[in-house]
Amino acid sequence: MTNLRKPGFVLGLIIIAVAIVASLAPQLLATHDPFESVATDRLLPPSAQYLFGTDNLGRDLYSRVIYGAALSLLSASLAVVVGVVVGAIVGLISGFVGGRTDFIIMRFVDVLIAVPGVLLALIVVASLGFGPVSLALGVGLGAAGSFARVMRSQVLRIRSEEYVEAARTLGVRSPAILVQHVLPNAARPVIAMAALEMGTAILSVSALTFLGFGAPPPAPEWGALVSAGRDYVATNPGLSIIPGAVILVVVLAVNRVARSIGGDE
Amino acid sequence: MTQVKAWAGYLLPKLGQFLFVVVATYTLVFVLVHFLPGDPLIAALAAKGGASTVIDPAELDALRVQYGLDGTLWQQYFGHLIAAAQGDLGISIATGVPVTEMIGRAFPFSVQIASLALLFGVTSAVLITFLAYAAPWPWLRQLLLQIPPFGIAVPAFLSGLLLISVFAFTLGWLPSAGARSFDAAILPAITLALPVGALFFQVFSSAVLEAQNSPYVFTAVAKGVPPRRIFTKHLLRNALLPSITILGLLIGYLAGGTAVVETVFSRDGIGRMTVNAVLARDINVIQGVVLVVGAIYALVNLLVDVAYGFIDPRTRIGGGVPSRARLGAKK
């Protein structure tokens, strides 16, 4: 609750709330049809009518950014979910089983962490094809290694706690101990890390859509908007810098709120 | 003689670890490529000739042999591994050029901006830490410490385009694209330096802050040693170990970052080559690049481990177990 008195935290929450509304109900915030081009209104600077200006086809940039939130934020969220679920399962098994299995799994986790996330995502995208879902899978896989490591260290800590030994003495089976005792107690650091990972995932997803591996062209993904505006940097820099700044603001907001969640413990 | 033995005992396991990481990286990529749905060769040919490309089966088989995608999975796995150990990474499906040759040609361009970025990033991180350490007012210190988290949140394409817009188009000081001159490397290097420097800053500044609260710094301050001398003699030295450790991680960041930066600045290099390979679904090139980057990462970590042995003898004597006497003395 003390967080609510910090202006940075509150501002972060407001930005996140707007971003969520934009991705779930873009029609509430958009002022124009994001796909409609007005031939006479091309490459206009920001104005009261077109808040962020218009692009080379005369489409309203503001509305395109609003409609792009759904694609960009949903793939980033999916990436975090993939990373958490895959990482948590691997870490849980590795830490709980222990011994040689643990050793072998963790060496592969080391490698997963060693290969740069972007390259890992590129392999997945090249194999599965382009699009928001394969992007999310690629980015999520890149993050899974660190989640596995955190989860495993939590499991190792909890495994030797008295309540787990008590449950074992009482004859509770391993899967039941995992679900009832280990998982709930290990969840908190993993959730805090997932919140921090969200900012990174938004950055990775927008970088990959910037490179052209997202949904095909008319889709207003944030990274794709920046990329489309690149040809006009000399004359209309706002076309790519405004969507880029939107990404930056959202990432800063997510990181700020995530840090408070993590620091709450 | 015992010295040699101690070093061998220290280095041999590290060398084994290095080889393991390289082989495991290769294995991970191989598993991903071959167990994700879809035929890599057909995808690449479709990307080359359009979605409606029709290839007759006999020709397809010939192409499989040519690109090394024939035989059982085990044959491919070991065949490519042995070939890679001999420096042969196969042939690009999109261009027909050997992958080793493509990487060799693109590599110097990426190394140029990556090493410059490392230099910029590390220098500014040390500078900001020193300014924050020496800042006379708490608000200035807080402000300085806020800069690096910002560096992590800025997308590389945004900082790159901003730099192009200001320094290339508005001021006209530096070129916006290309890789032919040294000038052309400055803006990409700064772009790449932002996240790298920010990452380095996190580790470096926390190590400095930790050392700052130690008894020896307390003593030095009490003796009246000037702040700049404390920073260089006590804080910098003790922050060296954690800073070197993160170097390996930074190399990974640099390798990933070049993909976006080289695209923004239309520069030749490993990153742009990889992006083009993904666009062409050219799996041979991507595999080659990941293997090379993984090997470099492992090599840097090996060098870091060796450097550790030189810098901090505690990690070396007695086969990696810190000497009790020294540890006890430290406490």
Side-chain angles (χ1 to χ4, degrees):
Chain A
M1 275 301 111
T2 49
N3 276 328
L4 288 176
R5 291 203 204 107
K6 292 178 194 153
F9 180 80
V10 174
L11 187 65
L13 273 190
I14 293 170
I15 292 168
I16 292 173
V18 171
I20 290 174
V21 171
S23 39
L24 296 180
Q27 67 279 5
L28 291 179
L29 297 172
T31 52
H32 292 73
D33 178 344
F35 301 107
E36 192 199 271
S37 16
V38 180
T40 48
D41 291 350
R42 291 188 311 172
L43 296 170
L44 290 179
S47 64
Q49 194 193 353
Y50 301 111
L51 289 173
F52 290 171
T54 57
D55 69 2
N56 56 318
L57 297 175
R59 295 174 295 195
D60 177 40
L61 185 60
Y62 167 73
S63 303
R64 286 180 69 71
V65 169
I66 294 294
Y67 272 87
L71 279 171
S72 302
L73 296 180
L74 288 182
S75 355
S77 316
L78 183 61
V80 174
V81 170
V82 169
V84 170
V85 170
V86 173
I89 291 174
V90 170
L92 209 59
I93 293 172
S94 191
F96 201 74
V97 175
R100 198 174 292 167
T101 318
D102 178 40
F103 181 81
I104 292 171
I105 291 180
M106 288 323 284
R107 292 296 77 73
F108 272 92
V109 166
D110 286 346
V111 173
L112 207 56
I113 292 173
V115 178
V118 176
L119 290 184
L120 213 55
L122 289 182
I123 300 171
V124 173
V125 170
S127 304
L128 279 183
F130 307 153
V133 176
S134 53
L135 275 188
L137 286 178
V139 173
L141 192 67
S146 346
F147 282 110
R149 218 179 242 179
V150 172
M151 192 64 177
R152 174 177 172 272
S153 69
Q154 288 301 313
V155 172
L156 288 183
R157 178 180 64 81
I158 294 161
R159 208 172 54 161
S160 55
E161 296 276 347
E162 278 145 5
Y163 52 83
V164 172
E165 286 189 13
R168 202 170 277 157
T169 321
L170 287 171
V172 183
R173 293 240 209 110
S174 290
I177 294 180
L178 261 183
V179 174
Q180 283 177 355
H181 298 290
V182 177
L183 200 57
N185 285 295
R188 210 164 163 174
V190 175
I191 289 170
M193 198 180 150
L196 274 174
E197 185 61 34
M198 187 65 200
T200 316
I202 294 174
L203 281 179
S204 306
V205 165
S206 60
L208 291 167
T209 54
F210 171 81
L211 294 174
F213 306 138
E221 264 165 341
W222 287 351
L225 288 179
V226 178
S227 174
R230 260 184 80 203
D231 297 337
Y232 305 91
V233 170
T235 50
N236 291 52
L239 215 46
S240 50
I241 286 172
I242 292 174
V246 169
I247 300 172
L248 169 65
V249 168
V250 172
V251 171
L252 281 174
V254 170
N255 284 354
R256 178 69 188 76
V257 172
R259 251 189 302 144
S260 301
I261 294 174
D264 245 2
E265 295 182 300
Chain B
M1 196 59 212
T2 47
Q3 197 74 9
V4 175
K5 242 184 191 165
W7 269 107
Y10 175 69
L11 283 182
L12 280 179
K14 307 275 180 205
L15 207 63
Q17 213 176 346
F18 164 75
L19 288 175
F20 174 82
V21 170
V22 175
V23 174
T25 308
Y26 170 76
T27 310
L28 179 74
V29 175
F30 188 87
V31 167
L32 280 176
V33 168
H34 291 273
F35 288 89
L36 286 174
D39 183 322
L41 183 61
I42 290 175
L45 293 175
K48 208 187 207 172
S52 56
T53 313
V54 182
I55 315 141
D56 79 285
E59 199 184 330
L60 195 65
D61 285 342
L63 286 172
R64 273 192 211 289
V65 175
Q66 189 187 343
Y67 296 121
L69 296 166
D70 59 320
T72 64
L73 280 180
W74 287 112
Q75 279 170 347
Q76 285 191 39
Y77 177 83
F78 287 109
H80 292 180
L81 187 61
I82 292 165
Q86 294 163 342
D88 175 10
L89 295 170
I91 298 169
S92 157
I93 302 174
T95 62
V97 179
V99 175
T100 315
E101 199 185 311
M102 287 174 75
I103 294 179
R105 219 183 292 151
F107 203 64
F109 295 112
S110 295
V111 169
Q112 190 187 20
I113 55 169
S115 45
L116 259 183
L118 205 58
L119 184 72
F120 289 163
V122 169
T123 315
S124 28
V126 172
L127 208 66
I128 292 177
T129 309
F130 174 70
L131 290 177
Y133 168 75
W137 310 286
W139 64 264
L140 184 62
R141 190 190 172 108
Q142 279 308 313
L143 189 74
L144 286 166
L145 292 178
Q146 285 302 312
I147 300 173
F150 195 76
I152 288 183
V154 182
F157 45 79
L158 176 63
S159 44
L161 288 171
L162 274 173
L163 289 172
I164 288 180
S165 169
V166 174
F167 291 99
F169 290 133
T170 310
L171 297 170
W173 289 355
L174 292 162
S176 68
R180 296 289 156 230
S181 65
F182 177 75
D183 284 358
I186 294 176
L187 292 182
I190 295 175
T191 311
L192 205 50
L194 277 176
V196 168
L199 213 67
F200 180 80
F201 176 87
Q202 285 185 332
V203 173
F204 181 74
S205 66
S206 67
V208 164
L209 288 180
E210 197 182 307
Q212 203 184 341
N213 294 325
S214 64
Y216 52 83
V217 170
F218 182 79
T219 312
V221 173
K223 277 197 316 195
V225 179
R228 205 197 311 165
R229 208 178 142 71
I230 294 182
F231 190 78
T232 50
K233 283 279 161 194
H234 296 289
L235 301 182
L236 215 53
R237 279 190 158 193
N238 283 287
L240 194 60
L241 273 185
S243 307
I244 286 181
T245 312
I246 201 190
L247 265 183
L249 198 69
L250 292 183
I251 300 292
Y253 244 77
L254 285 168
T258 52
V260 170
V261 171
E262 286 170 358
T263 305
V264 169
F265 289 92
S266 310
R267 254 182 85 90
D268 289 330
I270 294 286
R272 196 154 169 235
M273 190 184 97
T274 316
V275 170
N276 288 336
V278 175
L279 286 173
R281 311 284 299 268
D282 193 342
I283 214 72
N284 282 2
V285 173
I286 303 165
Q287 264 178 308
V289 169
V290 177
L291 190 60
V292 168
V293 171
I296 294 173
Y297 173 87
L299 187 68
V300 169
N301 276 330
L302 181 70
L303 294 177
V304 165
D305 278 337
V306 175
Y308 244 85
F310 275 110
I311 296 169
D312 190 345
R314 281 176 306 181
T315 55
R316 184 184 354 131
I317 298 166
V321 182
S323 145
R324 284 259 163 78
R326 293 289 294 272
L327 267 187
K330 198 186 162 199
K331 276 175 186 167

